[in-house]
Every structure is written in structure tokens, then in C-alpha cells.
């Protein structure tokens, strides 16, 4: 081949002529929204984009019957339900937080916390809190099987002070610190661990961050999300959910049967940015646990939020689709919760071998 022909061929090459290996390398580093856009360019780009997409396993829905001596899983991928007995030591306990397939639990008349894996039945008993009643925010960073696990419990022990206690695997006591702060005013457990920080949200729409490695607590100078004119103050303070996804933090605000509002935290601009939709994300929201996924099982909707029930007088799973602009019951997931309070329903991440364990 002459130099002239080779030069002309090189000049006529387009992006679609890139080798498949190079295309795959590029697609691997794209965010999901960009991956979807790139897949529409041409057939080679579509093949490369689809080849690196990972289908996330959706979380399972978990609830406790009124007897509180057992619990039930619901797998939204196949609409099947599975029941297991609680360990006797946990009978009557309530879930306070869920992450990485583990539950942080305690009994209402006790401050003895435990970490429990309802799939493997593994149990980690945390040190006694010495009758430290009145905690308001609780959470943990990751599964206790990791040395990076940090359990966080916060309360306003004295007026004008916030008391923070943490525990990590291998420790025999809680580590405690007290800081001057007027932050806490929380009825729900708004805690998300993201980028090495615990983000905590309160009813006054203030946001604070706790860094477990530096042991620092800061009420962040973040402009609160803007309340729409048609929403009354009481509704604005209730019905919120916080969830993280790959370093991002989202706030979902619900108002009965009205359209939910979604805000994304922008730390650079120090503001909550209202989103018209959530793109390829699917969010699973409940009071004590929120999960987020992309490329979920094809039977589930993207750009949607799944709720165990919208309010206590509902009796089955409800989905809000931003694409359709409406709520609708998921008939294919027709789980009748009866009079079960919505606070008793928890989204939980199942292990890959969940079906073998149940």
C-alpha cells in the first residue's frame, strides 16, 4: 500500500472505525447516562456499550409480621416470597438501619444494638451503650465483615450539644465525643454514608457531615432544598428519603399522592439541585433503608422510585415513574401488606447466593 493511500484511509476514518478493544476501554469509563447515549451512535458503539453494562441485582423487600418472631423477604425480580424465623435473641427487635445486606437492630426498651445478616444469620453484638437512651440518628458505613465498618449513633444529649458514638469491628467499647451544635431535630433516620462521610439531614433541612477517620462534625453551609409554593410547611418537613449512589447523595421528598421531588447534592455549588428525573437510576425508598441501582432487572422500571407503600393506608408496593409522570401500583409485584406500618418495610441488598441461603 502506498503512503498516499494509507494517508487517505487514515484521514477518512471516523470514530465508528475504532477497534472494538479500544471502544470497550472507552465505554468502561463512561457514566451510565453517557453509555446509553453512546450506544445510539452506531452498531459497533452499541455492541461495545452493551458489553460493559452490568445489570444490578435489585434489592429485596423485607418486613416483620406483627408477632416480630419471623421476617419475610420479597424478591421483586420473580415476585416470590420467603419466610425465615428470627433468632430468639432478636424477637421483638426493630430495624434501625440497613446497608450491604446487614441490619442494625435493637429493642425499643433497650440500647443494646446488634448487627444482623438475615440471609446468613450472622450476628454481631455491639458493646453496651450504658442506658444511653434517646438516640436520634443511627447508621453504619459498610458490612461488619470489613475492617472499614463504622457504626454511628448520634443524639443531642444536652441542649446545644451533639453526642456522637462510634464502634468498629474489634473494639470492646464505644468511642464517644461531644460537640457544640444545634443541629439535631430529627424524627426520621436521615443518614447516608458517601465518600468517607456520614451525611445527616434533619427536619429543618440542615445537612451535617461526620468524618469517622478525622472524627470531625460539621454543619455544612448548604442551601436547603427549595419548598414549592403549593406545599404546606408541615408536609415539607415530612416524607423525605436520602439515598447515595457512587458518591452522589439524593434527597427524595414525598407529599401524599403528589409527584415526588428529587434533589441532588452539589458540594461545589453548596446547594441541593432539583432534578426533573433520575435518568437510568432506579431508587428504592423506605424509612429505614434506601437503595439505588442502575440497569436493574428488565422487569423493573428505570427512572422510577419504588416504595413499599406510599402511606400506611396503602396495602401494596407503589412505583412513581418520572417517564410516565404518575404513581401506579405494581400489579406484577402484588404484595398485600395489609395494615403493616410502612416503617416496618425495609429494602435490603441480597447476596449473590441469596436463593441458596433461604
Amino acid at each position: 500500500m502506498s503512503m498516499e493511500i494509507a494517508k487517505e484511509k487514515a484521514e477518512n476514518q471516523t470514530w465508528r472505525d475504532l477497534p472494538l478493544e479500544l471502544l470497550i476501554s472507552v465505554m468502561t469509563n463512561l457514566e451510565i447516562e453517557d453509555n446509553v447515549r453512546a450506544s445510539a451512535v452506531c452498531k459497533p458503539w452499541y455492541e461495545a456499550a452493551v458489553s460493559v453494562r452490568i445489570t444490578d441485582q435489585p434489592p429485596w423487600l423485607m418486613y416483620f409480621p406483627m408477632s416480630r418472631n419471623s421476617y419475610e423477604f420479597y424478591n421483586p425480580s420473580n415476585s416470590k416470597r420467603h419466610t425465615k424465623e428470627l433468632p430468639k435473641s432478636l424477637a421483638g427487635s426493630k430495624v434501625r438501619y440497613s446497608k450491604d445486606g446487614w441490619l442494625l437492630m435493637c429493642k425499643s426498651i433497650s440500647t443494646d444494638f446488634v448487627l444482623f445478616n438475615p440471609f446468613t444469620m450472622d450476628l454481631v453484638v455491639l458493646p453496651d451503650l450504658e442506658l444511653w437512651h434517646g438516640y436520634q440518628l443511627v447508621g453504619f458505613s459498610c458490612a461488619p465483615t470489613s475492617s472499614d465498618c463504622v457504626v454511628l449513633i448520634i443524639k443531642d444529649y444536652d441542649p446545644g450539644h451533639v453526642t456522637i458514638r462510634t464502634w468498629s469491628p474489634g473494639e470492646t467499647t464505644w468511642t464517644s465525643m461531644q460537640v457544640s451544635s444545634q443541629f439535631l431535630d430529627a424524627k426520621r433516620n436521615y443518614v447516608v454514608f458517601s465518600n468517607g462521610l456520614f451525611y445527616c439531614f434533619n427536619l429543618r433541612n440542615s445537612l451535617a457531615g461526620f468524618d469517622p477517620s478525622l472524627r470531625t462534625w460539621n454543619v455544612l453551609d448548604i442551601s436547603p432544598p427549595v419548598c414549592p409554593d403549593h406545599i404546606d410547611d408541615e408536609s415539607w418537613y415530612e416524607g423525605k428519603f436520602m439515598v447515595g449512589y457512587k458518591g452522589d447523595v439524593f434527597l427524595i421528598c414525598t407529599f401524599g399522592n403528589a409527584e415526588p421531588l428529587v434533589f441532588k447534592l452539589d458540594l461545589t455549588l453548596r446547594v441541593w439541585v432539583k432534578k426533573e428525573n433520575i435518568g437510568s437510576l432506579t431508587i428504592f425508598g423506605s424509612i429505614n433503608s434506601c437503595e439505588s441501582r442502575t440497569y436493574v432487572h428488565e422487569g423493573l422500571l428505570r427512572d422510577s422510585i419504588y416504595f413499599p407503600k406510599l402511606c400506611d393506608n396503602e396495602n401494596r408496593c407503589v412505583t412513581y415513574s418520572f417517564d410516565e409522570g404518575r404513581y401506579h401500583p405494581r400489579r406484577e409485584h402484588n404484595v398485600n401488606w395489609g395494615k403493616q406500618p410502612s416503617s416496618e418495610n425495609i429494602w435490603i441488598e441480597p447476596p449473590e447466593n441469596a436463593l441458596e441461603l433461604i
Side-chain angles (χ1 to χ4, degrees), residues 9 36 40 67 83 110 152 166 175 185-186 203 214 227 233 259 263 296 309 326 328 330 340 348 350:
K9 183 176 181 180
V36 173
S67 67
T83 301
S110 171
L152 174 75
T166 59
T175 301
D185 182 11
L203 286 178
L214 300 177
C227 176
D233 290 343
E259 174 187 355
F263 298 88
V296 294
K309 52 171 66 179
R326 69 183 181 94
H328 51 96
R330 301 301 298 168
Q340 189 75 5
I348 186 167

Side-chain angles (χ1 to χ4, degrees), residues 226-233 235-236 255 258-261 274:
V226 177
C227 176
D229 294 336
H230 66 282
I231 301 297
D232 61 84
D233 290 343
S235 298
W236 180 240
F255 317 96
E259 174 187 355
L261 302 179
K274 186 176 182 298

Side-chain angles (χ1 to χ4, degrees), residues 180-209:
S180 297
S181 178
Q182 296 289 345
F183 174 78
L184 286 184
D185 182 11
K187 291 183 180 179
R188 289 192 176 183
N189 195 46
Y190 303 120
V191 176
V192 166
F193 185 77
S194 179
N195 291 326
L197 292 179
F198 285 99
Y199 290 94
C200 305
F201 194 75
N202 68 8
L203 286 178
R204 297 193 303 272
N205 300 302
S206 297
L207 187 70

Side-chain angles (χ1 to χ4, degrees), residues 107-137:
K107 296 182 180 179
S108 58
I109 59 173
S110 171
T111 55
D112 296 330
F113 281 88
V114 299
L115 286 164
F116 173 59
N117 187 315
F119 296 95
T120 64
M121 307 300 287
D122 290 332
L123 188 68
V124 179
V125 179
L126 277 59
D128 182 34
L129 273 171
E130 301 174 0
L131 301 179
W132 196 63
H133 294 288
Y135 57 85
Q136 282 134 320
L137 297 172

